[in-house]
Structure formats: C-alpha cells, structure tokens
Amino acid sequence: MLFHVAMEVRLPPDMPAAKADDLKARERDLAQALQRQGKWPHLWRVAGRYANISVFDVADADELHALLSSLPLFPYMDIRVTALARHPSAI
Ligand SMILES: O=C(O)CC1=CCC(=O)O1
C-alpha cells in the first residue's frame, strides 16, 4: 500500500548542535536502510524548507505508523499522511 507522507522538521532552536547532529545521522541511517528494503521508495527535499515529501510502500497504516514513529526525528516533525489508491486513468 502506498502512502504520500509530508514531513516538516522543527528542531528546537536551543537544541545543542551535537544532539541535532546525532539525531540527523541516525535519521539518515534508518532512512537509507528503509530505502534499501524498498519501504521508502521516494524521498525528496522540499526546496527552500527543512521538509521532505516521501512515498512509503508498506503493508498498511499500522506498519507506516510503526516506521514513522521509530524515526529519530519523529518527536520533532509535523507529519501529514495521505493514503494513495490507484487512479482509474493510470496506465
Ligand atoms: O531532512 C529531513 O527531511 C528529515 C529526514 C527524513 C529522512 C532523513 O534522512 O532526513
């Protein structure tokens, strides 16, 4: 099942740089593992914002929630999820 996921990252301005760097490094490692597994087939930067547009390919909303909530940056992200269904005109 495909989900469109929009993530906006909002790190507290007073977060120590070392903590932010650690969170970002762990986020990258997990994101790249999920990409290699085929569960995160699209990851795009939104130009001009600390945000991304992603597509996840997972079994269901429960798996998506488990993945998203395991992301190190999860506590600092505003996440909007849209479930995708096949368009009847898509070829
Ligand atoms: O930088 C972001 O948009 C947040 C993020 C998601 C996966 C990743 O590596 O960073």
Side-chain angles (χ1 to χ4, degrees):
M1 191 172 176
L2 296 176
F3 291 90
H4 172 282
V5 180
M7 304 182 211
E8 185 103 31
V9 185
R10 296 207 180 92
L11 293 177
D14 60 348
M15 179 180 281
K19 178 168 182 185
D21 290 347
D22 177 62
L23 283 169
K24 291 175 194 175
R26 291 192 289 119
E27 180 87 5
R28 181 198 59 229
D29 291 348
L30 182 52
Q32 292 184 344
L34 292 169
Q35 287 171 74
R36 286 188 201 98
Q37 293 169 29
K39 292 187 180 291
W40 194 337
H42 287 274
L43 170 57
W44 296 94
R45 176 63 75 219
V46 178
R49 288 178 21 215
Y50 191 7
N52 72 73
I53 297 288
S54 292
V55 173
F56 283 78
D57 187 355
V58 291
D60 52 30
D62 290 328
E63 184 182 8
L64 179 69
H65 183 74
L67 290 185
L68 293 177
S69 58
S70 73
L71 295 173
L73 286 174
F74 180 77
Y76 307 102
M77 291 198 286
D78 179 34
I79 301 178
R80 305 291 163 98
V81 173
T82 305
L84 300 177
R86 186 160 183 80
H87 194 287
S89 303
I91 56 173

